[in-house]
Amino acid sequence: MNPEVFRLSLDVSILGPVTMTYDGQVIPIIDRRPRVFLGILAHDLGLIDKDKLIGYLWDRGEEPADPSDAVQTCAKGARAALDRVPGGRTLLKTTRNAGYQLLVKPQQVDKHRFTALKARAEAALPDDPGMAARLGRRALAQWPGGGGLRGGTPLESTDARLDPLTRPLQQQFRDVRLLCIDAELKCGRHRRLLAELDGLTAEEDGAIDAELVGLHMVALFRADRTPEAVATFERYENAMGELGGYDSVKELKDLRNRILNDDDELKLDESDYADYGSEEKSEEERTPAAGSSFSVTQHGNDARSYQAHSMIFHEGPDK
């Protein structure tokens, strides 16, 4: 059989502990640095020079006596694991005096599946929030932990030297999670979202995230829990006051006032949910526009598409 077929059965995960599986079986990489070395290569899938690898693998001033040789040792450990895959040795490319590259396809790495699904969800949101929610939840499912507002610890590391790789991923996880909540609010799922929102805004990061708090307030308002929506704002206002972040409070204060005034634009038009899904195109036929935004309005086509394509919900909007 073509070795390429075997290699395509390889999967690399870096959105948590760095793991490599072949045909569903975990391939152990015992030592941590070779694992992180492999994860760094999987993160970019391009040629990464030795100096950059040294900076990622060791703190400044704590590099080994011969850093180049130490990187080669990490490469040997990663290559030993790849040797257990038919044709796997060829997947780690060494460019003399330059660096290393992992020759796998993006769909074989959870990070690249996540970013591809994220892009599709963002493109779908303006015209098809139902599809956006579905794609966004699939993106979040790529993370082995997938909890909270940051998703976990990519590259199994809290080391500051890896922050340039890990922190953007955690921010992207946050963005996708809020995209899903925004999209599902547009589709009338406010009551089903409340438990998730309660948990997120109770976290330290979530309590001071203006966009998340705004979505929580809207969900509570639509669920006829206006006093709780106002209390959610007040908790945010107090937290930001302690941090000196008064400027960020104004937008949510405006939202609170709209809630207290029973603003019709924040409500759902339940007639939008009649006869949903009858004219929906298949996922492959869609070419939605790019972009995403924090929006709390609801449209009929949005509701219909969510119903037509969601694998989870099959009822009408929340009452």
Side-chain angles (χ1 to χ4, degrees):
M1 184 178 289
N2 187 341
E4 179 71 11
V5 176
F6 285 105
R7 289 197 293 268
L8 288 174
S9 298
L10 181 72
D11 191 88
V12 182
S13 299
I14 68 170
L15 295 177
V18 177
T19 59
M20 186 166 60
T21 60
Y22 170 66
D23 200 21
Q25 300 296 312
V26 175
I27 300 174
I29 308 175
I30 304 301
D31 294 332
R32 180 175 179 273
R33 277 204 173 88
R35 284 201 310 274
V36 176
F37 169 87
L38 182 71
I40 294 167
L41 298 185
H43 180 279
D44 287 345
L45 294 183
L47 180 66
I48 303 181
D49 66 62
K50 287 184 180 180
D51 288 340
K52 184 175 286 189
L53 286 165
I54 292 166
Y56 284 143
L57 292 168
W58 289 277
D59 289 324
R60 185 180 297 275
E62 297 183 1
E63 299 93 340
D66 187 342
S68 181
D69 184 67
V71 171
Q72 289 181 23
T73 300
C74 291
K76 288 177 182 177
R79 187 172 281 116
L82 288 166
D83 278 346
R84 301 181 65 176
V85 177
R89 174 167 284 270
T90 63
L91 296 179
L92 183 57
K93 178 182 178 181
T94 303
T95 301
R96 187 176 298 276
N97 298 321
Y100 298 86
Q101 183 175 3
L102 185 64
L103 301 176
V104 299
K105 297 182 182 299
Q107 61 265 35
Q108 293 175 263
V109 181
D110 58 356
K111 177 256 184 180
H112 298 288
R113 293 193 297 268
F114 166 74
T115 54
L117 287 163
K118 174 180 180 288
R120 292 176 62 196
E122 289 170 342
L125 183 61
D127 299 321
D128 195 344
M131 180 59 72
R134 184 170 178 237
L135 291 167
R137 293 295 181 183
R138 284 173 56 193
L140 298 180
Q142 299 301 314
W143 290 65
L149 201 58
R150 302 296 172 185
T153 308
L155 293 170
E156 61 183 75
S157 177
T158 57
D159 296 334
R161 61 180 179 268
L162 287 171
D163 281 353
L165 302 182
T166 59
R167 288 198 174 183
L169 287 172
Q170 291 172 322
Q171 178 65 34
Q172 289 171 35
F173 179 94
R174 175 258 181 206
D175 293 345
V176 175
R177 187 141 201 190
L178 296 195
L179 179 150
C180 291
I181 293 169
D182 185 12
E184 289 168 16
L185 271 176
K186 290 179 179 181
C187 299
R189 321 313 286 181
H190 41 276
R191 293 189 189 277
R192 292 163 175 79
L193 287 167
L194 286 177
E196 179 180 359
L197 286 163
D198 287 345
L200 291 173
T201 54
E203 296 179 2
E204 184 177 356
D205 287 346
I208 57 173
D209 189 302
E211 185 176 359
L212 173 65
V213 173
L215 292 168
H216 195 188
M217 290 168 64
V218 170
L220 288 164
F221 170 70
R222 290 183 177 178
D224 299 320
R225 294 164 61 175
T226 294
E228 293 174 64
V230 173
T232 297
F233 165 76
E234 291 173 348
R235 286 194 298 272
Y236 173 80
E237 184 179 37
N238 291 336
M240 294 308 296
E242 293 176 3
L243 295 172
Y246 294 104
D247 291 343
S248 64
V249 174
K250 183 180 183 303
E251 184 177 351
L252 287 187
K253 185 175 286 187
D254 293 341
L255 177 60
R256 180 205 59 184
N257 293 339
R258 292 176 65 193
I259 287 172
L260 288 172
N261 291 327
D262 202 34
D263 191 331
D264 286 340
E265 290 187 7
L266 295 178
K267 299 177 182 178
L268 286 171
D269 181 357
E270 295 183 5
S271 65
D272 285 342
Y273 290 87
D275 192 30
Y276 52 76
S278 57
E279 299 179 359
E280 283 301 312
K281 296 178 181 179
S282 68
E283 181 175 342
E284 290 75 16
E285 293 175 310
R286 281 196 180 72
T287 54
S292 63
S293 62
F294 171 35
S295 172
V296 294
T297 56
Q298 139 78 27
H299 304 286
N301 287 338
D302 299 349
R304 288 193 289 271
S305 68
Y306 186 86
Q307 298 290 340
H309 296 289
S310 172
M311 297 187 296
I312 302 173
F313 302 123
H314 304 283
E315 318 91 85
D318 293 341
K319 303 296 184 181

